[in-house]
Amino acid sequence: MRASEFVVIGGGTVGAAVSYGLAKAGAAVTLLDEGDIAFRAARGNFGNVWVLGKGATEPAYADLSRRTADDWKDFAAMLEADTGIDVHYRRPGGCFICLTETELMQRATMLEELNRKASVKSRVEVLSREEIAKRLPAVGPDVVGAIYSPHDGSANPLYLLRALMTALIKFGGRYRSHSCVRSVKREGGCFRIDTDGGPVHCGSVVFCGGLGNAKLAPQLGLSAPVRPVRGQILVTEKVKPFLPFGVSFIRQTDEGGCLFGESSEEAGFDDATTLPVLRDNARRAVTVFPLLRDLRVVRSWSALRIMTPDGVPVYDQTAETPRAYALSVHSGVTLAPFHAGAMARAIRDGGLDLNLVAPFSPKRFDVQAA
Ligand SMILES: Cc1cc2nc3c(=O)[nH]c(=O)nc-3n(C[C@H](O)[C@H](O)[C@H](O)COP(=O)(O)OP(=O)(O)OC[C@H]3O[C@@H](n4cnc5c(N)ncnc54)[C@H](O)[C@@H]3O)c2cc1C
């Protein structure tokens, strides 16, 4: 295989966005992906472009999520102009539905605190039962209120991935599937990457392998502290539109099907669906919208989130190996414009912008020995 200026390892939403950004900026980039047997959150996620509640423990993450969500409209338009693919980006807002007064109060307090610390202030409305029922007449009798924000939205994650890949190829990038990376090392002034398809040499390497980063990034002294967190999702048959904006764990697609679930479980690398969790997901969804009870479930699946210890992205680069980068992110759909934009430009120019990424360094996990 020929040498490439940049090699991105991992063809999920993060790797595809970075590769697209690099290729569009004129860099020679090759994207290596393991293939169908890999864990791929990009193909099993919910598709939310979500801000509400993001960054509760790290204001810089709240700011990054909000700024990037604001960039999504132009990003979707740019992708469509580049590829002809409409990724179904919509921004009607989103809400947390609350089933008890305590939950409503706790969420309201948490979001107020988060907004106070964030540099980019978000509009957040606390809605009584009557107010949410006016906006979403289908809510059930157990709903006591909701928290609404106009900044949230969604996109079709599969169209997004397809558009990113199509654009990558259009701008001269190369995509190699079935290229599981086994090892990465420095060789002379560049990197040697051994894959199932043979060795590849490059000047810069970007680890975007999702859960695969945990094993790969440390080979160059980079950190990717990620663990799998399983989410299970159900999809119903298509129905007339009743959900004009998303609820954190329920959304209706443009085609009419409803996605719900998004449970959260520590199940190691087991990505099977389980009946008890699917049943609980369905129960909660039916409590919020009783009309869902009569719908047929047409599909269900589970996928593994790429979770860092605090849920905040980890972006790593070291002085010892300056042209290697590791990006480990849970919200890869939401952050796609950032990865394709500022992040790709920083990588092309040879270094992460420390002002931008310092709060996301893995150094935050270093604890002093007692
Ligand atoms: C249930 C669920 C719901 C989610 N909902 C949302 C949401 O609503 N909004 C949002 O923004 N995000 C959501 N996410 C997260 C989102 O899916 C991920 O952040 C996104 O997919 C990007 O992840 P990634 O590209 O880092 O990893 P992945 O998508 O997992 O891709 C990693 C890629 O690396 C490749 N790879 C791994 N190891 C190797 C190797 N050794 N060699 C070569 N290639 C390798 C794999 O083949 C894979 O294609 C959700 C995730 C889950 C699981």
Side-chain angles (χ1 to χ4, degrees):
M1 208 182 276
R2 292 197 334 251
S4 212
E5 191 183 355
F6 292 88
V7 162
V8 175
I9 301 174
T13 317
V14 175
V18 170
S19 303
Y20 161 54
L22 283 169
K24 188 158 177 158
V29 53
T30 299
L31 174 58
L32 303 173
D33 192 54
E34 181 174 351
D36 289 339
I37 54 159
F39 295 110
R40 293 163 135 183
R43 287 161 163 79
N45 70 69
F46 210 68
N48 275 343
V49 176
W50 202 257
V51 179
L52 198 56
K54 287 269 175 70
T57 56
E58 175 47 70
Y61 184 35
D63 292 340
L64 178 66
S65 302
R66 177 57 206 285
R67 286 204 178 96
T68 309
D70 288 348
D71 290 340
W72 243 99
K73 185 170 174 232
D74 289 346
F75 177 67
M78 180 174 76
L79 268 181
E80 187 163 2
D82 283 342
T83 64
I85 299 171
D86 170 4
V87 300
H88 291 199
Y89 171 63
R90 309 283 179 260
R91 197 186 202 185
C95 75
F96 284 132
I97 290 276
C98 300
L99 297 178
T100 65
E101 291 292 347
T102 314
E103 188 188 354
L104 186 63
M105 227 173 57
Q106 280 172 348
R107 282 208 189 269
T109 311
M110 183 272 277
L111 289 165
E112 202 182 292
E113 179 70 2
L114 193 158
N115 222 2
R116 202 177 51 72
K117 292 185 186 152
S119 315
V120 193
K121 304 296 172 200
S122 293
R123 254 182 56 209
V124 173
E125 295 173 55
V126 181
L127 304 179
S128 65
R129 179 185 160 74
E130 289 68 35
E131 287 165 327
I132 188 64
K134 258 190 221 149
R135 297 190 199 186
L136 298 178
V139 288
D142 292 339
V143 170
V144 302
I147 314 246
Y148 172 83
S149 151
H151 309 296
D152 300 293
S154 62
N156 181 312
L158 297 180
Y159 291 164
L160 170 64
L161 193 60
R162 190 163 144 215
L164 291 170
M165 292 297 192
T166 305
L168 166 68
I169 306 299
K170 175 180 165 180
F171 289 107
R174 285 180 289 171
Y175 171 60
R176 307 262 184 247
S177 64
H178 306 291
S179 294
C180 181
V181 173
R182 301 294 172 186
S183 69
V184 184
K185 51 181 171 268
R186 273 153 59 150
E187 199 172 80
C190 64
F191 298 103
R192 178 195 165 105
I193 302 172
D194 283 300
T195 79
D196 286 354
V200 189
H201 292 85
C202 63
S204 296
V205 59
V206 193
F207 294 99
C208 298
L211 292 168
N213 273 359
K215 275 196 186 147
L216 293 173
Q219 296 180 21
L220 291 182
L222 296 170
S223 184
V226 289
R227 69 178 200 285
V229 172
R230 185 166 70 184
Q232 303 193 32
I233 294 177
L234 295 141
V235 184
T236 69
E237 62 183 316
K238 295 168 190 163
V239 274
K240 275 203 315 228
F242 73 95
L243 197 47
F245 54 85
V247 169
S248 55
F249 67 102
I250 309 176
R251 78 178 176 90
Q252 188 169 24
T253 64
D254 279 13
E255 294 82 7
C258 294
L259 263 76
F260 54 90
E262 233 213 345
S263 53
S264 200
E265 295 168 90
E266 300 287 343
F269 285 90
D270 179 356
D271 64 351
T273 51
T274 61
L275 268 179
V277 172
L278 292 176
R279 192 186 53 219
D280 287 351
N281 285 343
R283 247 190 218 140
R284 186 164 158 85
V286 166
T287 305
V288 176
F289 296 113
L291 61 77
L292 291 173
R293 180 177 293 123
D294 300 324
L295 300 187
R296 273 171 303 198
V297 169
V298 292
R299 255 178 316 134
S300 64
W301 68 82
S302 92
L304 303 180
R305 296 185 183 86
I306 297 113
M307 199 53 76
T308 61
D310 55 5
V312 174
V314 174
Y315 300 132
D316 198 17
Q317 180 189 24
T318 63
E320 295 73 40
T321 317
R323 296 195 70 91
Y325 312 85
L327 317 184
S328 302
V329 178
H330 165 53
S331 290
V333 175
T334 306
L335 296 179
F338 171 65
H339 294 139
M343 178 62 81
R345 280 194 299 277
I347 290 171
R348 180 202 58 189
D349 296 343
L352 300 185
D353 174 350
L354 287 182
N355 287 328
L356 199 67
V357 302
F360 306 109
S361 158
K363 290 196 176 68
R364 66 184 186 270
F365 303 120
D366 293 349
V367 283
Q368 231 155 2

